[in-house]
Every structure is written in C-alpha cells, then in structure tokens.
Amino acid sequence: MITTVLRRFLLDASKPATSINALYHQLAPAKNFRAPAMGCVRDLSKMTFEKKETSVEENKGSGDGGKADDQGNKGEQLIVSYWGVKPIKITKEDGTEWKWSCFRPWETYKADLTIDLKKHHVPSTLPDKLAYWMVKSLRWPTDLFFQRRYGCRAMMLETVAAVPGMVGGMLMHFKSLRRFEQSGGWIKALLEEAENERMHLMTFMEVAKPKWYERALVIAVQGVFFNAYLLGYLISPKFAHRMVGYLEEEAIHSYTEFLKELDNGNIENVPAPAIAIDYWRLEADATLRDVVMVVRADEAHHRDVNHYASDIHYQGHELKEAPAPIGYH
C-alpha cells in the first residue's frame, strides 16, 4: 500500500498542490495499516493486556450488533487480549451465576465436624520436644499482642498457617523434577492445605478489618517464618511437619476459645460472610459461629496430615511411599 502511494506522489510531483503535507494526508487513512510480520514478531499493541471501557458512544450507530458485542457490560472494564482467552461463565446448581473467581464450585465442600479435636501427639524425641516448645513459645507474644481480639488473631494465624503447605509442596515439586519421580500425590495434598488456609484468611478478612500496623506485622512475620520454615524443611522434613502439627493443635485451641467468646456474648455472632457460605456450603442463614466451627475442623484435619507426614519420615520412609490424603479435609 505504501509503495502505491509513493508512486502516485512521484508521478504527481509537478502538481503545485502536491507536497509532503499532501503525502502525509494520503497516508493518514492508513493509520490501521500493519506491516507484514517478520519471523515471529507480532503487533506489539496486542501482545499485552489492555483495559477497554465500553461506553455509550462506542455503541452508537452499531444497532443490535453493538448491544450483542457489549453483552450487558456497558460501563464495565473488559480485558482485551491477543490470545482470545475469555472468562468462563459458571453457574451454581440452582442456575444462579457463580460470583467468585478465587475458587470454583467443584472446590467447595462440607466440613467434617465429627473429627476428634482432642488428639495430641506426645513429644518423645528431642526434635519433637524442640518443635513442641518452639510452637508454645510463639503463643505467648501472640496472646500478649491480640489478647481476646480473636478475629484479628485468626487473621494473623492464617497468614502463617498458609506458608508450610506452600513451602513443602514447592520443595517436593522440585525434588520430583530432579529425581524424575512421582510424589505419591503429596505435592497436591500440601498445596491443597495451603489453599485451604488461604481461604480461611479470605473469610476472616471479611470479619476483622486489619489495621495498618497489623498489616505491617503480617509482612514481617511472613518474611521471617517463610525463610525459617524453608530452612527447617530442607534440614529435616520430619521436624518441619511435626512443628506444623503442633501449630495446628494450637489453632484448634484458639478457635475453641473463639467459640467460647461467641457463646458468652463477648463477640457478636454476625452473619457469615458470603464467601464462607459458598466455600463450605453453609446454610444461607449461617453465622460467624458456624464459620469458626468449620475452620476449626479444617485445622484438625491439617493437624492429622502433618503428624502423619512426620511419622512417615520417622519410620524411615519417604512421603511418596504412602498415598497422600488428598481431599482429607
């Protein structure tokens, strides 16, 4: 196209009206022109995500076709991508639209509330005693800082509890790659634990709004705990899993105290957040007490999984030798 325009320009060079400005105006209509791709080079304007805000002006004169393209999202920001990946519209069993993008309907479940909450691993070996007293020592500053603000306490607890599963799953993933071997499902089981703990956090964020200094504390604690647990897992996985087992025992105790405060009326038993109702398949009229009950049950299941993982190592085996309890919670 450019060659054709230049040829016309040279042929008409004798005409007074022809000039560089005229050439510019001749090229102007070709603003959407794109040069042929060289090798694997694409149109750079479409290689990255753009946000496009639909408006009334964009749909003027488009008739019914414009309305169809807009799909009722007038005024909303749409993600436009070269790759053509579009959001999937998901509905619930009753036909209503699924509104959560952080988890899907097939990831929801009903918590097993019949699990034994009083089970405890008595520390006998030196590593077990070290893990036990390390967790116990962390409880004192937590009690001092949060006292009876159990909503904020739960929020802080979940930011820490979501770390071990991610670290363990990540290290097992790398180990599987290095050794060209399966993990027995433990990568998925540990990452599933981390995701479940994160959903606890997303729930309590709706109940307890963290203050700026609590957010700063989360950043500091997460940074220290992540690196400490990573080092501990590299040195001794059986110690790391045992420590998490004791950490979950403390979580069960904290949520039991939370329930006592709710039952005594010291904490208002507000309606359950919508995210909790959908994630745990609670009743529509569920309350905060119902949420604490299912979260406590989840922690009891995580306690069992981590003590079990530690026992496997203590018996001289690797985790891959025992089928992982995927979906145990």
Side-chain angles (χ1 to χ4, degrees), residues 206-223:
E206 300 294 322
V207 177
K209 302 299 182 182
K211 299 180 176 60
W212 69 267
Y213 57 85
E214 291 172 334
R215 290 178 179 269
L217 181 62
V218 166
I219 295 173
V221 171
Q222 189 180 81

Side-chain angles (χ1 to χ4, degrees), residues 26-87:
Q26 285 179 299
L27 288 172
K31 62 180 179 180
N32 292 324
F33 171 76
R34 186 172 65 192
M38 298 294 183
C40 60
V41 178
R42 293 192 189 92
D43 180 5
L44 296 179
S45 66
K46 291 189 177 181
M47 287 181 65
T48 56
F49 284 99
E50 300 173 351
K51 283 191 174 181
K52 178 182 178 182
E53 185 172 349
T54 59
S55 61
V56 178
E57 286 76 7
E58 292 179 358
N59 295 318
K60 281 184 178 180
S62 60
D64 295 338
K67 292 181 180 179
D69 292 337
D70 192 45
Q71 296 181 351
N73 292 321
K74 192 175 293 182
E76 295 181 7
Q77 286 191 336
L78 303 177
I79 302 296
V80 181
S81 168
Y82 168 84
W83 309 106
V85 179
K86 297 180 180 179

Side-chain angles (χ1 to χ4, degrees), residues 313-324:
H313 284 291
Y314 266 104
Q315 294 171 18
H317 300 286
E318 293 188 18
L319 292 184
K320 67 175 183 177
E321 298 176 38

Side-chain angles (χ1 to χ4, degrees), residues 110-164:
K110 279 187 172 292
D112 177 16
L113 301 179
T114 64
I115 189 169
D116 187 357
L117 300 172
K118 297 181 180 180
K119 284 196 295 186
H120 167 65
H121 180 275
V122 179
S124 55
T125 64
L126 180 60
D128 281 3
K129 291 178 180 179
L130 180 62
Y132 178 77
W133 288 110
M134 186 177 293
V135 172
K136 284 292 184 182
S137 66
L138 294 174
R139 183 174 171 181
W140 179 78
T142 304
D143 289 341
L144 182 64
F145 184 83
F146 291 104
Q147 298 182 4
R148 293 190 176 278
R149 293 182 297 136
Y150 285 100
C152 294
R153 185 192 189 104
M155 180 194 64
M156 172 61 74
L157 176 66
E158 299 303 341
T159 62
V160 173
V163 171

Side-chain angles (χ1 to χ4, degrees), residues 235-255:
I235 296 172
S236 176
K238 63 184 177 184
F239 167 80
H241 282 293
R242 187 69 78 201
M243 189 183 74
V244 176
Y246 288 131
L247 186 66
E248 299 294 359
E249 290 183 17
E250 288 299 319
I252 294 170
H253 173 76
S254 295
Y255 285 118

